[in-house]
Amino acid sequence: MWHSMKSMCFGRQTSLVPFVRRLATNASEESCPQTLSSSFSSSSKLAIRDALQLDPKNRKRVAINGWIHRKATHKLSTFVHIFDGSSTTQLQVVIPNQLLERCPSKLNFGSSIYCEGVIQESRGTQQPIELNCDFFDIIGDCEPLNFPLGIQSTTWGEMRQFLHLRPRIARYASLMRIRSELFHFVHKLMKENDYMHVLTPIISATDCEGAGETFSIKSPLCNDQQSYFNTKVHLTVSGQLHLEAALGASTKVYTLSPAFRAENSQSNRRVCEFPMLEVELAFINSIDSLMDEVEYLCKSVATYLAKECKKELKKVNDSNFQYKILNKIINMKFIRITYDEAVELINKIQKNEEMKYGDDMGSYHEKVLMEYFDFIPVFVTHFPVSLKPFYMKQVNGKALCFDLICNTGGEVCGGSLREDDYSLLKERIEEMENPESFKWYLDLRQFGSTPHGGFGVGFDRLIQSLTGVVNIKDVITFPRWPHHCNL
């Protein structure tokens, strides 16, 4: 019996669930009677994206799964728009009201549904094709009075209150597709440019940034923090130091991995967990060469978004202003100025908040630069060494480094040449709180060291800048920030 059922259900592109439901129909008077008329075995299971590509003249019979986004009831039929995440475009399904009258389940927004029918030319003008349904099954009902999010007018802030439910909203699903597409594209781009991917560790014994804003880790098997690994460990703040070690295997390495910062901030640009695209290159001695790499990367990602994710971007942010921002990222040469020039410029044109020399740039100062340069991304270079970590190469009190400032995302990227002089690096490390943990890092300067450099791109801030989504907590599917980690 099982063998024959398996051949019936798995021999075609179909789902077992509706078939099992159909078997149960004979024993349940409460099931929808229309299941008896299903011709499930002759339907091809398709994603909505693929169903939308069919020629309606062929009147192909298909089966689809998805969620109900909206419906409109007319005299003879009910028109239901269904999405399954494979496309921003929804499929219109026409269900005869005669079928609905015999079914106790309602077609509620958010309910999951299975439908079968024939693809035909649409009788309306808003879509070219539709599914003429002769069988459907409500798989999971969604009671509209209890669902806390609206169908169309839900704001980013409202969706943020229900992280587990906001993927059901079409606008947010489009943002998730953008994130997924860019994630895959970055890996493809790096491979095409001969970068080796390295999976850097999440548990680390070194604080790369030296700021102490780390999440400590303690094993329940041990009484004190040091016992399990024989040293203090924490969640990584950056994979950079490990990537520098990986340069021994290839001259170009990268990672796209989680990083963690224990910052007590409610800023629109900060969270406690985020992916970082980090890159290290050997045999490089110019920050201009590094900035060229960053600019190429940003322009490539922006071009891919504009070309391949048009519908998703329109759903997320359809403002003319954001399209102009995206166009500038793609087509305009990024601005390059020094820290000293930036401070002088900001203080010359700012109206509310002067920038003191030796201070880091705040969001207001970044905004001043963006407006002055007409929202073209700006590289700010040669910061005072007091503002930057120990590993950066230094000349005359300046770090050979840069930050990339973009609209909305702010500081999207930071990079530098790395100090390759053993004596100078050893001297700086000895002044740190836990110099023993960096012994292995010093070894890299003793055995075949090369001039090298790298950068780190905040993946979520880059998405903010490309899409114009103001709050970073909205571009991350499940963000973590102070006092917010409920799932």
Side-chain angles (χ1 to χ4, degrees):
M1 174 62 182
W2 171 247
H3 176 77
S4 62
M5 183 185 293
K6 184 176 180 181
S7 64
M8 286 177 64
C9 299
F10 294 98
R12 302 177 178 86
Q13 294 180 342
T14 53
S15 170
L16 179 60
V17 174
F19 179 78
V20 174
R21 287 179 176 273
R22 212 160 289 121
L23 291 178
T25 301
N26 296 328
S28 174
E29 294 181 358
E30 295 182 358
S31 298
C32 300
Q34 72 271 17
T35 55
L36 297 175
S37 64
S38 167
S39 52
F40 171 77
S41 59
S42 61
S43 301
S44 297
K45 176 73 178 301
L46 293 179
I48 287 178
R49 176 195 59 239
D50 298 327
L52 291 169
Q53 302 302 315
L54 295 176
D55 186 345
K57 295 179 181 178
N58 295 330
R59 296 187 60 82
K60 183 177 178 62
R61 183 169 186 82
V62 302
I64 59 111
N65 281 324
W67 291 271
I68 298 172
H69 187 255
R70 67 177 186 269
K71 69 173 182 178
T73 301
H74 294 265
K75 185 176 181 180
L76 298 177
S77 301
T78 295
F79 297 84
V80 182
H81 286 247
I82 298 176
F83 70 97
D84 65 356
S86 63
S87 169
T88 55
T89 305
Q90 299 159 10
L91 177 64
Q92 177 168 283
V93 178
V94 183
I95 303 176
N97 289 339
Q98 191 175 20
L99 288 182
L100 297 176
E101 292 170 358
R102 293 180 288 169
C103 181
S105 300
K106 295 182 179 180
L107 299 175
N108 293 324
F109 164 77
S111 295
S112 57
I113 189 172
Y114 171 84
C115 295
E116 293 180 24
V118 174
I119 293 292
Q120 63 183 22
E121 189 173 344
S122 178
R123 288 166 281 183
T125 58
Q126 296 183 351
Q127 59 282 316
I129 67 171
E130 61 191 14
L131 177 67
N132 187 13
C133 177
D134 55 37
F135 165 76
F136 75 92
D137 189 8
I138 300 297
I139 299 172
D141 194 14
C142 179
E143 177 53 56
L145 294 179
N146 296 329
F147 190 70
L149 294 174
I151 299 175
Q152 297 285 355
S153 59
T154 302
T155 66
W156 294 110
E158 290 169 339
M159 288 190 285
R160 205 178 308 132
Q161 306 304 311
F162 302 94
L163 300 181
H164 59 301
L165 295 177
R166 65 180 180 177
R168 310 288 183 91
I169 305 302
R171 186 184 187 192
Y172 196 79
S174 293
L175 182 55
M176 290 177 65
R177 274 191 295 276
I178 287 176
R179 185 184 179 88
S180 175
E181 285 290 322
L182 297 187
F183 204 95
H184 288 294
F185 173 73
V186 165
H187 281 295
K188 180 175 180 289
L189 181 69
M190 301 306 283
K191 183 175 178 60
E192 289 175 348
N193 286 273
D194 299 322
Y195 280 91
M196 175 188 286
H197 178 254
V198 179
L199 192 61
T200 53
I202 289 178
I203 299 175
S204 177
T206 55
D207 178 4
C208 177
E209 299 300 315
E213 297 172 331
T214 61
F215 289 101
S216 299
I217 298 176
K218 180 180 178 181
S219 169
L221 303 177
C222 306
N223 294 325
D224 62 85
Q225 193 179 15
Q226 296 191 26
S227 298
Y228 193 86
F229 288 105
N230 297 327
T231 187
K232 291 183 178 180
V233 296
H234 50 258
L235 297 178
T236 183
V237 298
S238 169
Q240 176 204 314
L241 305 188
H242 297 94
L243 281 180
E244 289 188 57
L247 278 177
S250 175
T251 59
K252 301 169 74 174
V253 295
Y254 84 101
T255 189
L256 183 49
S257 304
F260 304 85
R261 304 282 171 89
E263 297 176 325
N264 187 20
S265 173
Q266 301 291 331
S267 166
N268 285 345
R269 298 173 181 171
R270 295 184 183 274
V271 285
C272 298
E273 178 185 358
F274 50 93
M276 284 279 287
L277 172 61
E278 299 185 87
V279 173
E280 290 293 319
L281 300 98
F283 303 103
I284 190 168
N285 52 21
S286 164
I287 60 172
D288 283 310
S289 297
L290 282 176
M291 288 188 285
D292 289 343
E293 290 285 319
V294 174
E295 187 165 346
Y296 168 74
L297 171 68
C298 292
K299 288 181 180 296
S300 298
V301 173
T303 300
Y304 180 83
L305 174 66
K307 182 180 179 181
E308 303 296 335
C309 304
K310 292 180 181 178
K311 292 182 179 179
E312 285 81 3
L313 186 59
K314 184 176 181 180
K315 198 86 171 178
V316 170
N317 188 350
D318 195 26
S319 70
N320 290 331
F321 177 73
Q322 188 55 37
Y323 287 118
K324 290 179 181 179
I325 296 293
L326 193 59
N327 185 61
K328 290 178 184 294
I329 293 174
I330 294 172
N331 296 308
M332 302 296 289
K333 176 70 176 174
F334 291 5
I335 307 297
R336 301 184 183 188
I337 61 174
T338 66
Y339 173 86
D340 290 7
E341 291 169 338
V343 172
E344 182 180 356
L345 179 60
I346 289 169
N347 288 334
K348 185 180 296 184
I349 61 178
Q350 64 83 28
K351 298 179 180 179
N352 299 316
E353 187 180 330
E354 184 179 358
M355 183 177 175
K356 295 180 180 179
Y357 189 89
D359 287 351
D360 216 342
M361 256 184 260
S363 58
Y364 172 74
H365 304 129
E366 293 170 351
K367 182 179 179 181
V368 170
L369 287 179
M370 282 290 94
E371 291 177 350
Y372 180 81
F373 289 110
D374 198 22
F375 303 101
I376 300 172
V378 178
F379 284 110
V380 180
T381 69
H382 299 85
F383 283 74
V385 296
S386 59
L387 294 176
K388 295 300 179 179
F390 73 96
Y391 53 75
M392 294 186 176
K393 203 169 188 63
Q394 303 174 7
V395 174
N396 299 326
K398 302 289 187 181
L400 300 184
C401 68
F402 61 85
D403 286 349
L404 176 62
I405 311 300
C406 295
N407 193 55
T408 310
E411 181 192 332
V412 167
C413 175
S416 75
L417 296 181
R418 314 312 190 190
E419 184 58 75
D420 56 336
D421 186 290
Y422 175 84
S423 299
L424 291 176
L425 189 60
K426 184 174 184 291
E427 184 179 327
R428 295 176 204 165
I429 288 176
E430 287 176 346
E431 297 176 355
M432 298 175 66
E433 182 178 340
N434 187 22
E436 296 81 12
S437 65
F438 290 94
K439 182 180 183 304
W440 68 270
Y441 186 63
L442 274 173
D443 282 348
L444 301 178
R445 277 34 177 200
Q446 292 193 89
F447 307 111
S449 180
T450 72
H452 63 285
F455 56 87
V457 177
F459 188 72
D460 302 310
R461 289 189 180 183
L462 178 60
I463 294 178
Q464 278 188 275
S465 299
L466 297 177
T467 62
V469 176
V470 174
N471 198 315
I472 194 171
K473 302 171 187 66
D474 297 327
V475 301
I476 303 173
T477 310
F478 301 109
R480 274 79 175 93
W481 71 99
H483 314 296
H484 292 82
C485 188
N486 298 324
L487 69 154

